[in-house]
Structures are given as structure tokens and as C-alpha cells.
């Protein structure tokens, strides 16, 4: 991972257009090719980013750009959509690279692990006619919780959370990008399943064509007897 603290401006062109004026920011370049632009506020969320598969070129500025104080231009191009992220660097304050090695992935807590097991045993919660392929289907960046098939035989990747937030949607998006490169799997549909899904996560998932599924933990465990409830 390369970490660069720089005075820069950032422009994004694609489905949406966005501009970040000149300021000091952290630029993170990951080994998977992704680029994230962070400020010192706004919690953990990047101000802008480009997800893989993408390419990064780092070029000398044009004469006009140099006259404006720009010393380096980073151009990040999304291979699938041709969206472009341009980072115009005026000054580099820090530049370091670190080898992080292979990450073992997020360790599920007890509830998430149990949800995965119960859902695999009751795969029909995805819909009538779905069948289980396997749990913990391994990808190059970690295991997706469940791989299933829909009634027409199409692959379905399911990511399970106790509380579904934007990070979970991003995680499933990365899995889907990789799995859809496999000619034996594609097209792969995504399902984001959780006991509770935050509105922002639902909006992001639906925008990316990912289906959201709210799980009833008690019902999956057989503790929710619908015949004995008043409502």
C-alpha cells in the first residue's frame, strides 16, 4: 500500500461529476489498483475513490498545469465504465509504501456465523427454487458467505451481516466484481442479507443491482411461532 499526503485537487467524471478543491489530503493506493482520497474528517469514509478493476497513470503536468502550480497528475480510469478520477498534485508532503501481506479477512462474530449456517440450511429464504452450492466460497480477496443457484441456475452470491451498513455493501461489490470475471459463474447476482439494513446501505445496494434481504434470526432458529402470536 502506498500512502501519500499531498496538497491536491480531485475531479471525478463518469455517471456523476464531482470536484474537490485544493486542500491537503491522504491518497491511498492499494495493491488491487484502487485509489481512495481521504480528508482528516468525515470519519472512515473517503471523499472520493475508484474501485478495481482500474488503471493508474502518473504523468508530468502540461505547461498550463505547471503554470498553475501542479507538479504531478494522477489519472485513474475504471476499466468497465471508463469513469475517470483525476488527482492534480501541487505538493507532496509525505510518500511511503508498505507491504501489508495477505489479510485473513473479517472474522465473523457468533451471530453472523450462526446466521450463515442457518441460512445455508434454509436456503429457501432466498426464494423458492434456490439451491445451496457451498458456504464460504473463496475468492481472491476472501470468502463470500454463501454461493447459491436460483431456479434458472444462475449464480447468487450472498453476504451476511448482523447489521448491514455501507461497508458490507462495498465488500459484496468487490466479491461480485471478481466472481463475474469467472466464465463458469457469470452473471452472478448479489444478495445483501442482514438482521437490520441501514437506509444508506439499502440505497447503495439497490443502485448497484444488489438485492437486500432482512433476516429474522428467531424465525431461522425456529423460535418464532407465528401461530402463537397475537399480531
Amino acid at each position: 500500500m502506498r500512502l501519500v499526503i499531498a496538497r491536491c485537487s480531485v475531479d471525478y467524471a463518469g455517471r456523476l461529476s464531482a470536484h474537490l478543491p485544493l486542500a491537503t489530503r491522504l491518497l491511498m493506493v492499494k495493491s488491487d489498483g484502487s485509489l481512495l482520497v481521504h480528508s482528516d474528517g468525515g470519519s472512515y469514509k473517503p471523499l472520493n475513490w475508484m474501485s478495481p478493476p482500474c488503471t493508474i497513470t502518473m504523468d508530468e503536468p502540461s505547461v498550463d498545469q505547471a503554470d498553475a502550480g501542479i507538479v504531478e497528475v494522477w489519472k485513474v480510469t475504471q476499466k468497465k465504465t471508463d469513469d475517470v478520477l483525476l488527482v492534480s498534485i501541487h505538493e507532496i508532503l509525505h510518500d511511503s509504501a508498505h507491504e501489508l501481506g495477505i489479510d485473513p479477512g473479517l472474522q465473523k462474530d457468533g451471530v453472523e456465523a450462526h446466521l450463515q449456517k442457518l441460512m445455508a440450511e434454509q436456503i429457501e429464504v432466498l426464494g423458492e427454487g434456490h439451491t445451496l452450492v457451498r458456504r464460504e466460497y473463496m475468492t481472491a480477496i476472501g470468502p463470500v458467505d454463501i454461493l447459491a443457484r436460483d431456479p434458472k441456475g444462475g449464480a447468487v452470491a450472498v453476504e451476511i451481516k448482523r447489521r448491514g451498513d455501507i461497508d458490507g455493501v462495498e465488500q459484496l461489490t468487490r466479491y461480485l466484481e471478481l466472481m463475474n470475471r469467472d466464465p463458469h459463474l457469470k452473471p452472478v447476482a448479489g444478495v445483501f442479507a442482514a438482521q437490520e439494513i441501514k437506509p444508506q446501505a439499502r440505497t447503495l445496494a439497490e443502485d448497484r443491482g444488489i438485492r437486500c434481504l432482512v433476516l429474522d434470526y428467531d424465525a431461522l432458529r425456529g423460535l418464532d411461532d407465528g401461530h402463537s402470536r397475537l399480531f
Side-chain angles (χ1 to χ4, degrees):
M1 179 184 292
R2 184 182 177 190
L3 303 175
V4 177
I5 298 176
R7 292 182 61 248
C8 62
S9 61
V10 182
D11 292 277
Y12 189 98
R15 289 174 296 175
L16 300 173
S17 295
H19 172 71
L20 294 172
L22 184 63
T24 301
R25 300 185 176 93
L26 169 63
L27 308 175
M28 299 176 61
V29 183
K30 296 188 176 182
S31 59
D32 62 6
S34 58
L35 172 70
L36 297 89
V37 181
H38 285 274
S39 68
D40 200 21
S43 186
Y44 61 91
K45 297 179 184 178
L47 299 171
N48 216 325
W49 69 93
M50 187 69 80
S51 301
C54 58
T55 57
I56 302 178
T57 58
M58 300 176 183
D59 303 317
E60 296 293 324
S62 66
V63 174
D64 289 342
Q65 289 172 326
D67 289 343
I70 297 171
V71 297
E72 194 169 335
V73 178
W74 295 8
K75 182 179 181 180
V76 190
T77 305
Q78 228 292 334
K79 292 183 178 179
K80 290 185 178 180
T81 64
D82 293 328
D83 289 6
V84 175
L85 187 69
L86 286 175
V87 182
S88 301
I89 297 177
H90 289 245
E91 181 183 9
I92 293 179
L93 306 174
H94 172 85
D95 190 346
S96 63
H98 307 270
E99 179 59 53
L100 303 185
I102 298 175
D103 192 277
L106 181 67
Q107 300 298 311
K108 303 279 185 183
D109 66 18
V111 173
E112 286 186 11
H114 198 203
L115 279 170
Q116 182 193 115
K117 179 177 182 293
L118 290 170
M119 193 169 180
E121 293 170 349
Q122 303 171 58
I123 200 66
E124 65 274 6
V125 298
L126 287 175
E128 185 178 354
H130 281 73
T131 56
L132 176 69
V133 176
R134 64 166 298 166
R135 294 170 56 189
E136 300 286 337
Y137 180 83
M138 186 57 66
T139 74
I141 58 173
V144 67
D145 289 327
I146 287 178
L147 177 63
R149 294 282 181 181
D150 65 21
K152 296 182 179 180
V156 181
V158 185
E159 183 62 25
I160 300 171
K161 301 293 183 187
R162 198 155 56 95
R163 292 186 177 87
D165 57 20
I166 286 177
D167 279 356
V169 177
E170 294 286 5
Q171 183 181 359
L172 178 55
T173 299
R174 292 191 293 271
Y175 290 147
L176 289 171
E177 286 177 349
L178 286 172
M179 295 172 75
N180 273 301
R181 298 179 198 175
D182 186 339
H184 300 292
L185 288 177
K186 71 177 185 179
V188 184
V191 175
F192 187 53
Q195 288 179 272
E196 173 191 353
I197 299 177
K198 294 183 179 179
Q200 299 92 331
R202 181 181 292 275
T203 298
L204 181 62
E206 291 175 350
D207 180 67
R208 295 180 176 180
I210 295 171
R211 178 160 66 100
C212 291
L213 177 65
V214 176
L215 300 176
D216 187 328
Y217 189 33
D218 287 340
L220 287 172
R221 291 188 294 168
L223 301 180
D224 183 16
D225 182 1
H227 297 291
S228 64
R229 291 182 299 175
L230 294 177
F231 50 87

